[in-house]
Amino acid sequence: MQDDLPRPVFVGRDRQLAALAGDGRRVLAEGARAVLVCGDAGMGKTRLIDEYRARTPLARTAVGGCLELGGEGIPFAPFTALLRDLSREGAAGPVPGTDRAPGGDGTGRARLFESVLTLLEERAGRGGLLAVVEDLHWADASTRDLLVFLLRNLGGAPVHLVVSVRTDDLHRTHPLRRLLPGIERLPRVSRLDVGPLSRDEVAAQAAALRDGPSVDIDLLHERSGGNPLFVEAFLDRPSGPLPEGPRELLSAAVDRLPDDARRVVGLIAAAGDRIGHTLLAAVARRAGISEEALDTALRPAVDVRVLRATADGYVFRHALLAEAVYTDLLPGERIRAHRRYAEALGRGVPGLTGAETALQLAHHAYAAGDQPLALSTAWEAARHAADTAAHPERLALLERVLELWDPVPDAAARVGEPRAEVLRRAASVCLLAGSLRRAVDYATEGLEELGVTGYHRPGAQAPPDGALIAGLRYVRAYAYKELGSDGGLEDLADAFVVMGEGHPRAAAAGALLASTFMVRGHPTRARRSAVKALAAARETGDRGSEADALVTLGSLTAGEDPDEALRMLGEGIAIARERADAPVEIRGWANLAGALSYADRPEEAYATAGRGLDRTRELGLARTQGPFFLLHMVVNRFQQLRVAECERLLDTEAGDLLVRGRTWTVVQQIAFYRRDGAGVERAREEFRRLLPEGSSAPQEQVPVLFVEMMGAAVEGRFDAAVDLALHLLERGDAENPHLDTLHMGNLTYAAEVADMMRDVSGRQERTEELSSALLAVADALPEGLAPPNRLIRAQVRAQVSEDADTASRSLEGLLPQVRERRFQRVYLLLAAARAAARAGRADAAAGHLAEVEEAARESGLTLFGELADRIRGRHGLPRPRAAAGEAAPAGLTRREAQVLRLVARGMTNREVGGELFISAKTVSVHVSNLMGKLGVANRNAAAARARELGLD
């Protein structure tokens, strides 16, 4: 039989091939990189990648392709194939989409992603790994999520990730339309476009393909549009009638096949663009085709390269060809083909896993129009999707069950559950998939399905569906909590009513109620609920809820009894670890670090966050949960003005959108205090790209608004600064503002704006407006504040006071309370300096400003020095000698010279700290540094050296 499709040749892609090879060499030298190979169908993306695979400088290669089943992707399909190849080489680890995901505590998906990452890193070794993902346009949601995770986290491993994308398939609502721009912005990702061939390249392709008479190259180039696939198809008939489209052009080769071959090709097309031989043989038998007849029918299709034989099956020469063949099938042919697949899969096909069989069976039953079977198999496939942590696909399958519920009269019997339970599971999966609003919708629909429109009366007989109602209430309450919306408390209260006394889930609901009260700003009720949940958990032996309640109680106690808070948090962490409950354990570590920060124990908080980070590594969650702890460490170091350490820890690509957005706020603050306007603007743009104002929680915008407010004040735009300050004051929790740490912090910085304006003439009216608003908020705070918030209230009251001497003494009295929180301390020093200068205490003001200037020099945050200099200028204070060119002796910093002078007087570290309003630990650091600079071994020798230098 004549070969109507000439053997393909490789021409015209030298530049793209060189780019891939260059990228591969960079991978070996610099670490992981990724390339998006983009182009229309038929442009030769696969051939380009094949050529690169043959020439790659990397030691190992693995390939996986996305599969399409009538618009439905198979979860993790390319990574399933890719990792199976690597597993055959001896790599260990779960294969996504087939193996059960590790972890039964809701962290399975995250652990699965991290295990895939680890396996790729291990297989890359020193020689490097080329990992190819083909046809991303067909990828399921889970594959897209895993790909983005890998792109963000491969880091220094020598892995070259090459991904092909058919761009002409990306319609307006295609999920890749929004995803690709974000991927392309990642630092180690590039895009390589594969466009049409030029006229000369078309001529070269034609010459290589054809030994016979020459063809009209101009006509061939015009009609093919430079598409290599179409050049081949048009080669023998460049002036023939133009097909309606590329699919019709490609299907001409199929039309000339024998009837039996066309029939088999049609069967294969019903499965997508590729199929394993074992499954095809089973389907062919259902169609009355023996194995020998199947081989006979396949041969001509392979000979003319409509199909290509692989190691274990067949693949269409091009995906467009598979689409063309499937489109040409008559409706009856399609239905029969899908029915035969369903029959074959229902009997079992060797070589297919349970998950693969279930998902394909669900697809083919639905496509065949067998609604009862489609419902049953979708329910079974959803169970397999749950095992493999394919949350988006599981949700889609549950939604199909709901879609088919009414058309299938015995749906409840087939599923074994009422419709409301299916809705509850759909809502629960929405929580795992991050679709919180859909979770609310499904839970609400489930309650309506049970006839529940209001709340049950306490003390009444529990309804027959009480457990299911409670489950729906619980899921909706959890979603409300995560959304920061009202309604969760009412749902949980009703759950308690319908569960009745002694219900085994009462402790879990109570623990959720307590944490919801806490985040909603109701500490008294949160504590009461947590105590009750803790008692219920211990009575019923529910250790998971016991740990959860202890973590909440410990967090609530941090401001009142730090030691008891740390004890409860430690106990909660220990129980969670004992039960392998990773979410509660990680929450415990995070809250423990927060409690230590709140207690003004920053070094312990930093170390605890580090232990939390280490624990996420041990749990296989370092890339998903670890960035939160890393951000805590970054903020800790920034608050202590240890900026160099802060920047070493900064990673703007680590974590989810929320963590990355918050990290950019730290970058913005560093740039702001360094007077780097371009850096501020870039950080603001990146933040708003990740957390747009209209689609993120309002409190996430506060740090950005803070920089805008302070920037306006520094630049003298005080009207804008006051407007922003008043706006920030309104953003706090109106019911319990003292529980909102962002709101409380805003009080001090808004007070700084008011304080700065007092030094500027003509600003009295706006100064009074802002001062009055601040005083009203401060006076409305309750008396029983935690120590950090008591300090904030006292600072605000002092800064808006008209009595300069009282304000000065009050602010100086607060300095010992912020020895370690140096960022906050600098602002307190600036306020104390202004107050002292206004009160005529020039020496005190100068001393405060000297410390500010020292902090500016040590941290590199030059704005602090500039603010100090402005105060000197406006109040006629002399500039320090170091600023005039007289540096402290022996290379000491000004602070070290101050410490040395007091050490020479025989003071202990604690006494020196009290004199300078810093901690004894900070004094110890300064003493160690100055002894090193002086070349002395002990304090006595340091004192003697001080006398020699005139510092006694």
Side-chain angles (χ1 to χ4, degrees), residues 722-943:
V722 171
D723 290 341
L724 280 165
L726 294 171
H727 176 60
L728 285 169
L729 294 182
E730 294 171 357
R731 289 208 166 205
D733 188 314
E735 184 178 353
N736 293 286
H738 62 289
L739 296 175
D740 185 339
T741 56
L742 281 173
H743 177 77
M744 293 301 294
N746 289 336
L747 294 183
T748 59
Y749 302 121
E752 174 69 9
V753 172
D755 206 9
M756 291 172 70
M757 283 197 295
R758 291 183 189 277
D759 285 343
V760 182
S761 61
R763 293 293 178 179
Q764 184 176 357
E765 184 177 341
R766 296 235 69 184
T767 301
E768 291 304 319
E769 178 187 2
L770 180 54
S771 297
S772 297
L774 284 162
L775 195 57
V777 174
D779 289 345
L781 295 173
E783 287 305 315
L785 291 174
N789 290 345
R790 286 204 302 271
L791 182 146
I792 288 172
R793 179 174 59 188
Q795 179 180 345
V796 169
R797 283 175 170 169
Q799 282 192 269
V800 301
S801 171
E802 296 291 340
D803 186 337
D805 189 66
T806 301
S808 172
R809 306 290 181 184
S810 176
L811 290 167
E812 288 176 353
L814 300 175
L815 284 170
Q817 299 180 44
V818 284
R819 288 172 171 159
E820 299 294 342
R821 295 196 296 272
R822 295 185 67 202
F823 183 84
Q824 183 181 357
R825 181 179 177 84
V826 165
Y827 273 106
L828 188 54
L829 284 163
L830 289 169
R834 290 193 195 94
R838 291 173 191 141
R841 301 174 60 234
D843 288 345
H848 299 322
L849 294 177
E851 185 176 343
V852 171
E853 288 156 343
E854 181 72 16
R857 282 191 294 273
E858 289 181 357
S859 66
L861 303 183
T862 56
L863 178 58
F864 288 141
E866 182 181 326
L867 293 175
D869 194 56
R870 290 184 187 183
I871 294 172
R872 289 183 184 278
R874 283 169 181 160
H875 291 279
L877 301 174
R879 298 185 68 190
R881 287 190 299 169
E886 296 182 17
L892 301 179
T893 66
R894 180 163 297 277
R895 173 61 82 192
E896 289 166 353
Q898 291 173 335
V899 170
L900 179 57
R901 181 179 284 109
L902 298 176
V903 167
R905 295 178 188 173
M907 289 187 178
T908 66
N909 285 356
R910 185 176 300 278
E911 289 169 337
V912 172
E915 181 75 15
L916 298 177
F917 302 111
I918 58 178
S919 72
K921 187 178 296 184
T922 301
V923 173
S924 177
V925 172
H926 284 308
V927 170
S928 296
N929 290 339
L930 68 86
M931 285 197 300
K933 291 179 180 180
L934 296 175
V936 298
N938 55 53
R939 295 170 75 93
N940 290 334

Side-chain angles (χ1 to χ4, degrees), residues 391-616:
H391 304 318
E393 291 69 33
R394 182 186 177 197
L395 179 59
L397 289 162
L398 290 172
E399 288 174 334
R400 177 164 291 174
V401 172
L402 293 169
E403 171 196 339
L404 296 170
W405 197 272
D406 288 340
V408 178
D410 60 343
R414 286 178 172 272
V415 168
E417 299 285 358
R419 184 171 181 272
E421 172 59 18
V422 181
L423 288 163
R424 187 199 66 78
R425 295 194 189 191
S428 298
V429 178
C430 286
L431 292 182
L432 294 171
S435 300
L436 300 174
R437 297 195 183 280
R438 289 172 75 186
V440 170
D441 292 342
Y442 278 127
T444 301
E445 187 178 349
L447 291 168
E448 292 171 351
E449 176 78 12
L450 296 173
V452 178
T453 56
Y455 299 102
H456 296 81
R457 182 168 55 84
Q461 183 177 359
D465 295 316
L468 182 50
I469 294 170
L472 288 161
R473 293 282 194 199
Y474 182 92
V475 171
R476 192 168 73 171
Y478 197 100
Y480 278 143
K481 173 194 169 186
E482 295 301 307
L483 285 166
S485 301
D486 294 329
L489 299 175
E490 293 82 356
D491 273 336
L492 288 169
D494 195 59
F496 280 113
V497 171
V498 299
M499 279 191 292
E501 290 292 330
H503 193 280
R505 294 295 296 166
L512 178 60
L513 180 63
S515 62
T516 304
F517 272 134
M518 182 173 68
V519 299
R520 296 295 293 163
H522 304 291
T524 303
R525 283 181 278 182
R527 184 186 304 279
R528 188 163 53 241
S529 298
V531 169
K532 188 174 180 180
L534 183 61
R538 286 173 172 168
E539 183 178 342
T540 59
D542 184 350
R543 297 280 279 170
S545 297
E546 180 182 1
D548 201 2
L550 280 166
V551 168
T552 299
L553 267 177
S555 304
L556 289 165
T557 309
E560 303 163 6
D561 187 344
D563 291 335
E564 178 63 10
L566 301 183
R567 185 197 65 76
M568 287 190 287
L569 285 164
E571 185 180 353
I573 291 170
I575 294 172
R577 185 166 188 168
E578 172 192 312
R579 296 188 67 259
D581 189 339
V584 173
E585 182 184 350
I586 289 171
R587 186 168 80 92
W589 282 110
N591 288 10
L592 180 58
L596 287 164
S597 292
Y598 198 65
D600 200 17
R601 294 158 68 173
E603 285 305 316
E604 292 176 72
Y606 182 86
T608 298
R611 288 199 293 274
L613 180 60
D614 290 341
R615 187 63 182 135
T616 65

Side-chain angles (χ1 to χ4, degrees), residues 126-418:
R126 292 185 178 180
L129 168 67
L130 168 61
V132 177
V133 175
E134 295 185 313
D135 301 321
L136 186 65
H137 46 280
W138 282 339
D140 56 286
S142 289
T143 291
R144 293 193 298 270
D145 291 345
L146 177 52
L147 176 65
V148 170
F149 174 81
L150 293 174
L151 290 173
R152 291 191 180 281
N153 291 284
L154 275 168
V159 177
H160 199 195
L161 194 54
V162 177
V163 183
S164 69
V165 185
R166 190 202 296 178
T167 49
D168 57 334
D169 249 17
L170 304 185
H171 51 77
R172 184 174 60 84
T173 60
H174 196 290
L176 280 186
R177 284 291 290 271
R178 288 194 299 175
L179 181 62
L180 281 180
I183 291 177
E184 291 172 32
R185 279 194 292 266
L186 295 175
R188 293 191 174 206
V189 178
S190 59
R191 173 170 174 152
L192 184 63
D193 288 299
V194 182
L197 299 176
S198 67
R199 180 194 179 282
D200 290 343
E201 289 166 343
V202 168
Q205 182 183 8
L209 289 169
R210 187 179 181 88
D211 296 328
S214 62
V215 296
D216 186 335
I217 297 300
D218 289 326
L219 180 61
L220 182 61
H221 179 245
E222 177 185 352
R223 305 207 77 195
S224 67
N227 185 306
L229 185 66
F230 300 160
V231 169
E232 295 180 22
F234 272 124
L235 193 58
D236 286 329
R237 42 190 179 278
S239 59
L242 188 67
E244 293 182 10
R247 289 176 177 81
E248 291 76 14
L249 177 67
L250 291 169
S251 62
V254 179
D255 293 339
R256 291 189 289 276
L257 289 173
D259 290 346
D260 288 347
R262 286 205 309 274
R263 184 183 177 200
V264 169
V265 168
L267 274 179
I268 296 172
D273 72 331
R274 65 195 67 201
I275 192 172
H277 180 81
T278 305
L279 175 58
L280 177 60
V283 172
R285 282 194 298 273
R286 306 301 302 176
I289 303 172
S290 68
E291 197 146 359
E292 293 76 10
L294 176 63
D295 292 339
T296 301
L298 285 167
R299 177 58 62 185
V302 172
D303 287 344
V304 300
R305 288 183 302 104
V306 167
L307 297 174
R308 177 168 56 85
T310 65
D312 57 359
Y314 307 91
V315 60
F316 276 93
R317 176 172 173 265
H318 198 283
L320 281 176
L321 184 53
E323 296 170 15
V325 172
Y326 186 76
T327 301
D328 282 346
L329 293 176
L330 295 172
E333 291 177 313
R334 290 184 201 166
I335 290 173
R336 285 194 297 275
H338 287 298
R339 185 184 304 134
R340 284 160 182 158
Y341 274 100
E343 292 168 353
L345 291 162
R347 288 175 174 267
V349 177
L352 290 182
T353 66
E356 291 169 329
T357 299
L359 195 142
Q360 293 198 47
L361 180 53
H363 163 72
H364 289 294
Y366 185 76
D370 188 338
Q371 293 178 325
L373 180 61
L375 180 141
S376 301
T377 53
W379 180 253
E380 175 66 12
R383 182 182 66 79
H384 283 283
D387 291 341
T388 56
H391 304 318
E393 291 69 33
R394 182 186 177 197
L395 179 59
L397 289 162
L398 290 172
E399 288 174 334
R400 177 164 291 174
V401 172
L402 293 169
E403 171 196 339
L404 296 170
W405 197 272
D406 288 340
V408 178
D410 60 343
R414 286 178 172 272
V415 168
E417 299 285 358

